[in-house]
Amino acid sequence: MKKNADSTIKDAILVTGGAGFIGSNFIRYVFERTDYKGKIVNIDKLTYAANPANLQDISEKYKNRYFFEKTDICNYDAVMEIFKKYKITKVVHFAAESHVDRSILGPKAFIQTNIVGTFNLLEISRQYWNAQISIQNRSIFRFHHISTDEVYGSLGMKGLFTEKTAYDPHSPYSASKASSDHLARAYYHTYRLPVSISNCSNNYGPYQFPEKLIPLVIINALEGKSIPIYGDGKNVRDWLYVEDHCSAIWSILSNGKAGETYNIGGREEKTNFDVVNKICKILDRLHPARESKFSSYKDLITFVKDRPGHDRRYGIDPSKIENELGWKAEVDFDAGMRKTVEWYLANPRWIKNIKSGEYLKWIDKNYSKRQ
Ligand code: NAD
Ligand code: TYD
């Protein structure tokens, strides 16, 4: 992070949605892998997708620098209070409803959190940046909005998404994220609020909620359940190991420019069928199936009805962030998948807590004050 007078001490980063998959990995990354010396304040509503236990060790190790506030980003007064209380200097906005299938079944929460919640945060940031912040902190303030490549729609066999690709979202999830991107950009152009945006491809790695393809496949396989592949399995996603996403966000916060958008991706396009096959192969090697009903985890693969409006192919051109900020994905797909499967194998308790709903009881016990 760029250093100006005292910035290492005075910096206070507000992370929204930090109890979810990427947010918790990001907080861990900043504390453990960078030279950041300031505070991190994590605000999260603790939906079904959150598991604050993901950061239990971090909250103990960094108890003077890590703070958690159970708060809904749609609550103006509560969030404004947090901005003032911690003298926030940067916002990294992850909080969202994030699963396409859920957005098809029930889009309302996506509109509320992803659009109204982002608007609320932008508006609070603008008021705070205009009237509440110290002159010194005003110059280092940044609102970084985390978004997805899904806003660009679906690609044919050729071509890649660049920062100039026109928006063409197809699901309620991607439409809500597109809308929030437009609002974030509007706040830069209209009010000069120092906003940056990144649009990233599909992430995978530790702590991902098992509704998304990769953890769902690993856990179903370990439980001997069928592995569902939608449609013909030839839809393509561009996979990025979550730690590489975190390092990209850190390089944007440190050296990226306000008003700019950066596409983030690992140049690792794979069909869903290839991804599932890869997981089965790794599991066959690291954790051979002991049940007699199947000899390889591949036997569990089942082709199921396609997702409505299923985008065929996503592919990111990350040249801008590579050339302008010197960022590069470091973990290739083979290594990332091995690390990921190893992590799930090493954490049966985490899986049990999620699957049994134990984590929700834990949240109720420890965070009973609901907003
Ligand atoms: P996630 O579902 O694992 O976590 C989302 C977090 O946001 C949860 O902890 C949840 O409790 C919190 N949250 C939801 N509504 C909230 C509200 N109203 N107020 C406060 N907190 C709230 O999601 P993720 O996969 O970690 O994704 C994080 C961000 O990254 C999202 O903005 C998503 O659109 C974006 N993104 C995700 C991917 C991916 O592959 N997962 C790829 C690109 C971009
Ligand atoms: P997902 O992890 O839900 O991410 P996204 O929809 O945001 O890309 O899905 C990744 C791909 O895997 C997508 O093409 C849908 C497909 N998929 C399956 O084939 N089976 C499944 O059970 C799931 C959850 C996803």
Side-chain angles (χ1 to χ4, degrees):
M1 178 151 305
K2 268 184 207 146
K3 299 205 172 52
N4 54 354
D6 271 352
S7 78
T8 51
I9 298 158
K10 299 240 167 73
D11 257 318
I13 303 177
L14 182 80
V15 171
T16 71
F21 164 50
I22 308 175
S24 62
N25 274 285
F26 178 74
I27 291 171
R28 182 176 297 280
Y29 176 87
V30 174
F31 278 127
E32 303 270 271
R33 302 281 305 277
T34 74
D35 61 1
Y36 180 65
K37 301 278 190 306
K39 291 182 228 164
I40 294 185
V41 183
N42 174 7
I43 65 172
D44 197 300
K45 181 183 168 184
L46 300 183
T47 69
Y48 77 93
N51 188 353
N54 293 352
L55 289 170
Q56 187 65 30
D57 58 329
I58 293 289
S59 69
E60 284 159 16
K61 191 165 167 193
Y62 298 96
K63 55 173 171 290
N64 298 325
R65 294 170 56 210
Y66 172 76
F67 304 90
F68 178 76
E69 300 273 358
K70 180 180 181 299
T71 310
D72 186 336
I73 56 165
C74 299
N75 184 335
Y76 185 99
D77 292 342
V79 177
M80 179 57 108
E81 223 20 70
I82 289 167
F83 268 69
K84 291 189 208 160
K85 176 173 164 193
Y86 294 99
K87 300 189 170 44
I88 296 301
T89 57
K90 289 178 177 54
V91 179
V92 185
H93 175 34
F94 293 95
E97 289 293 336
S98 67
H99 193 212
V100 174
D101 293 326
R102 279 181 194 258
S103 81
I104 295 168
L105 292 171
K108 196 169 172 186
F110 289 72
I111 305 307
Q112 182 61 19
T113 286
N114 300 3
I115 305 178
V116 179
T118 301
F119 161 71
N120 200 42
L121 274 176
L122 285 163
E123 192 51 24
I124 290 166
S125 299
R126 178 172 84 88
Q127 304 284 355
Y128 170 80
W129 183 68
N130 273 333
Q132 308 284 345
I133 201 166
S134 69
I135 292 181
Q136 185 202 22
N137 282 350
R138 197 171 197 271
S139 64
I140 60 167
F141 188 83
R142 173 68 63 84
F143 186 112
H144 185 68
H145 176 63
I146 306 293
S147 193
T148 164
D149 58 357
E150 304 194 24
V151 298
Y152 297 124
S154 187
L155 288 165
M157 296 295 280
K158 287 197 188 137
L160 293 171
F161 298 134
T162 73
E163 290 79 0
K164 295 200 166 71
T165 303
Y167 277 30
D168 184 21
H170 295 151
S171 71
Y173 164 66
S174 54
S176 68
K177 292 297 291 186
S179 176
S180 64
D181 292 11
H182 289 318
L183 281 168
R185 232 167 250 130
Y187 268 67
Y188 171 75
H189 289 291
T190 309
Y191 305 113
R192 290 289 145 188
L193 184 72
V195 171
S196 48
I197 299 176
S198 50
N199 295 85
C200 188
S201 61
N202 285 63
N203 284 217
Y204 65 101
Y207 304 107
Q208 188 167 30
F209 193 82
E211 61 187 354
K212 307 279 166 47
L213 179 70
I214 288 176
L216 182 136
V217 169
I218 297 171
I219 293 172
N220 275 22
L222 290 175
E223 292 179 348
K225 292 187 183 153
S226 74
I227 298 174
I229 298 189
Y230 299 163
D232 64 4
K234 291 188 184 146
N235 299 64
V236 172
R237 297 292 181 265
D238 186 352
W239 292 96
L240 184 70
Y241 190 62
V242 64
E243 229 173 76
D244 278 329
H245 188 186
C246 296
S247 71
I249 297 165
W250 191 248
S251 72
I252 296 168
L253 276 184
S254 307
N255 299 309
K257 290 197 198 107
E260 293 293 322
T261 294
Y262 299 90
N263 278 0
I264 306 170
R267 300 180 197 272
E268 292 279 16
E269 289 186 39
K270 308 281 171 218
T271 66
N272 292 337
F273 186 69
D274 287 344
V275 171
V276 171
N277 251 312
K278 178 88 193 168
I279 296 169
C280 292
K281 254 194 199 153
I282 299 174
L283 279 174
D284 282 341
R285 192 161 42 79
L286 297 182
H287 194 269
R290 286 192 198 98
E291 297 185 39
S292 51
K293 66 178 179 187
F294 57 93
S295 57
S296 161
Y297 289 102
K298 277 183 208 155
D299 301 341
L300 298 172
I301 294 174
T302 315
F303 288 89
V304 299
K305 195 161 159 274
D306 209 354
R307 169 189 281 172
H310 195 176
D311 285 339
R312 194 64 173 167
R313 178 178 159 245
Y314 301 146
I316 280 273
D317 176 357
S319 309
K320 178 175 171 180
I321 187 167
E322 288 174 350
N323 297 335
E324 291 185 11
L325 305 185
W327 173 85
K328 209 172 172 317
E330 281 178 2
V331 182
D332 68 22
F333 186 71
D334 284 356
M337 284 304 300
R338 208 179 44 247
K339 278 151 81 96
T340 302
V341 174
E342 281 168 356
W343 187 86
Y344 284 92
L345 284 174
N347 287 280
R349 230 176 126 151
W350 186 89
I351 296 176
K352 191 167 157 264
N353 276 343
I354 294 278
K355 295 288 290 187
S356 65
E358 273 305 311
Y359 77 111
L360 294 171
K361 287 189 205 146
W362 190 85
I363 288 173
D364 272 343
K365 194 166 141 232
N366 290 282
Y367 301 97
S368 53
K369 197 165 59 97
R370 297 208 173 270
Q371 295 267 345

